[in-house]
Structures are given as C-alpha cells and as structure tokens.
C-alpha cells in the first residue's frame, strides 16, 4: 500500500480553488462589460418598445415641497379623559356637551387635529352598567344633541367585545357571538342618530 502524499493533494486543491476564483472573476467582468455596452449603445427601453410595442411613459419627479411629513398633533391628556368620565358620573351633561363640542370644532377647523375628538369619545369605551344608566339619562336630558348618542355607541361597542371575549372563534360560544352582535347593533343605532343630527362627525364613520 502506497503512502498518501498529503502535501501534493493540498497543492492540487489550492490550484483548483484559485482557478475557480480566476474563472469567476473573468465571467463577472465580461457580464459587467456587456451590461455597460447594452445600456450605452443598445438603449434597452427603445429596444423593448420595438419588440413588444406599447407606450413608454416618463416619470415626473416629485416636488420637494410636498407636505409628506408633518409633526404629530398632540392629543388630550389622560386627566381630561378622567374628567369626562367624572362629569358623566356626576350627571354634568351640559359640561360634557360643551367639552365634546369643543373637540369636534377643533377637528372641523383642522382635519389633522383628529386625535383629540377620537380620544375624547374613547373615554366612554366602558363596560360598567352604571355608566350605561348615566348615558341614557344624558340622552333623555338632551335628545337633540349628538354627543350622548355617540358616547353611548362607544359604550355598546365595548360591551360587544366584552360579550364576545378574546379567545379564538372555536373557543367562543354561540351565546357570546349573539351578545356581541346585539351590542354592536345598538351601537350602530346610536351612531345613525348622531349622524342624522350632525353628519360631519368623523368619529361616527370610524
């Protein structure tokens, strides 16, 4: 049995690797050269147009003055949301109407200032039945105002998700789905009334 010449074998492997690198470099160089020639002399856009037909369109550069970026508007503080709930519990309905009308007016003046009115009504995204009683009293006191209807709609929306639960559908009972649909239906009814009073309520379309 003849001994294996490891040194000679390693030398052959190194030569093979070097040859592969050189060949790859040559191929890449040729491809780059052909690409440069094609772009400079053949004009691919015109070439493909002749082959496939059809129209070509020039792109219009975007204006540098487009307002694609803007600073985020400030929303209301948590203390304001707590204050709205406190007024509801104390049945200070005049104050609630005025506060919510103010946020709606700010939005109508500047549509980018939408967060305040959204977060203001989110104050009524509650599930405690005691709040429902206060919301209904608010409607009875001011049946021609949109604010209490929109607030009650947020309450029923929260109740709908509470009824459904947060598990997968296969783990959710038929009664839970029915409870969700019932509360969502009541929310929709109140939203419709609010929009009849004031069609400009963006919160009502969300």
């Amino acid at each position: 049995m003849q001994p294996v010449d490891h040194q000679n074998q390693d030398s052959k492997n190194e030569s093979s690797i070097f040859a592969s690198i050189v060949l790859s470099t040559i191929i890449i160089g040729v491809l780059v050269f052909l690409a440069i020639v094609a772009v400079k002399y053949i004009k691919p856009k015109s070439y493909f147009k002749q082959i496939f037909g059809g129209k070509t369109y020039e792109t219009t550069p975007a204006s540098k003055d487009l307002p694609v970026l803007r600073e985020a508007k400030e929303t209301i503080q948590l203390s304001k949301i707590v204050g709205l709930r406190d007024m509801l519990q104390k049945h200070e309905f005049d104050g609630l109407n005025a506060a919510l009308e103010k946020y709606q007016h700010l939005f109508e003046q500047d549509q980018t200032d939408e967060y305040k009115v959204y977060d203001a009504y989110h104050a009524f995204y509650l599930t405690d039945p005691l709040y429902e009683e206060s919301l209904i009293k608010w409607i009875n006191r001011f049946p021609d105002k949109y604010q209490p209807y929109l607030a009650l709609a947020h309450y029923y929306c929260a109740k709908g998700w509470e009824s459904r639960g947060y598990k997968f559908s296969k783990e959710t009972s038929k009664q839970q789905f029915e409870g969700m649909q019932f509360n969502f239906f009541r929310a929709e009814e109140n939203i419709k009334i609010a929009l009849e009073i004031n069609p400009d309520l963006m919160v009502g379309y969300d």
Side-chain angles (χ1 to χ4, degrees):
M1 183 176 180
Q2 295 181 351
V4 178
D5 189 349
H6 293 286
Q7 185 174 2
N8 186 40
Q9 185 69 29
D10 292 340
S11 178
K12 289 181 179 180
N13 290 338
E14 291 177 359
S15 298
S16 177
I17 293 172
F18 178 75
S20 299
I21 294 174
V22 172
L23 181 60
S24 299
T25 304
I26 293 173
I27 293 174
I28 293 173
V30 171
L31 292 174
V32 171
F33 174 76
L34 292 175
I36 294 173
V37 171
V39 171
K40 187 173 183 179
Y41 297 104
I42 299 177
K43 297 181 179 179
K45 185 184 293 186
S46 300
Y47 178 72
F48 284 112
K49 181 180 178 181
Q50 292 176 2
I51 295 177
F52 299 106
K55 298 180 180 180
T56 58
Y57 300 91
E58 297 294 333
T59 58
T60 303
S63 172
K64 296 181 180 179
D65 299 325
L66 285 176
V68 293
L69 295 176
R70 60 179 173 85
E71 293 184 3
K73 296 283 187 177
E74 292 184 0
T75 185
I76 61 177
Q77 297 177 346
L78 181 60
S79 59
K80 297 289 186 181
I81 295 176
V82 173
L84 291 172
R85 291 176 180 173
D86 187 56
M87 282 193 286
L88 178 62
Q89 289 177 319
K90 294 178 180 178
H91 295 175
E92 297 176 0
F93 302 136
D94 287 296
L96 282 171
N97 289 334
L100 294 171
E101 179 65 29
K102 173 186 174 182
Y103 293 127
Q104 175 64 22
H105 180 70
L106 289 173
F107 166 72
E108 291 176 0
Q109 294 294 111
D110 181 4
Q111 281 72 36
T112 64
D113 200 11
E114 60 187 288
Y115 301 106
K116 291 185 178 70
V117 68
Y118 270 100
D119 289 343
Y121 280 100
H122 200 71
F124 309 106
Y125 194 84
L126 306 160
T127 56
D128 190 331
L130 293 177
Y131 285 105
E132 182 181 15
E133 295 178 10
S134 297
L135 289 165
I136 292 175
K137 288 181 180 179
W138 184 7
I139 288 177
N140 292 335
R141 176 83 177 275
F142 293 97
D144 58 338
K145 293 286 188 179
Y146 66 85
Q147 294 94 323
Y149 294 102
L150 207 50
L152 185 59
H154 277 73
Y155 170 83
Y156 284 137
C157 184
K159 290 293 290 185
W161 285 115
E162 181 189 49
S163 299
R164 187 221 180 275
Y166 299 94
K167 295 183 179 181
F168 291 110
S169 59
K170 64 180 180 180
E171 301 173 352
T172 304
S173 67
K174 179 181 178 181
Q175 289 74 20
Q176 286 176 287
F177 279 118
E178 289 175 348
M180 177 190 71
Q181 293 173 351
F182 176 68
N183 282 291
F184 283 172
F185 175 76
R186 292 198 290 181
E188 185 178 4
E189 282 186 322
N190 282 277
I191 289 173
K192 287 180 179 178
I193 297 173
L195 291 175
E196 287 176 0
I197 298 172
N198 185 352
D200 296 327
L201 301 173
M202 184 176 179
V203 179
Y205 297 99
D206 187 32

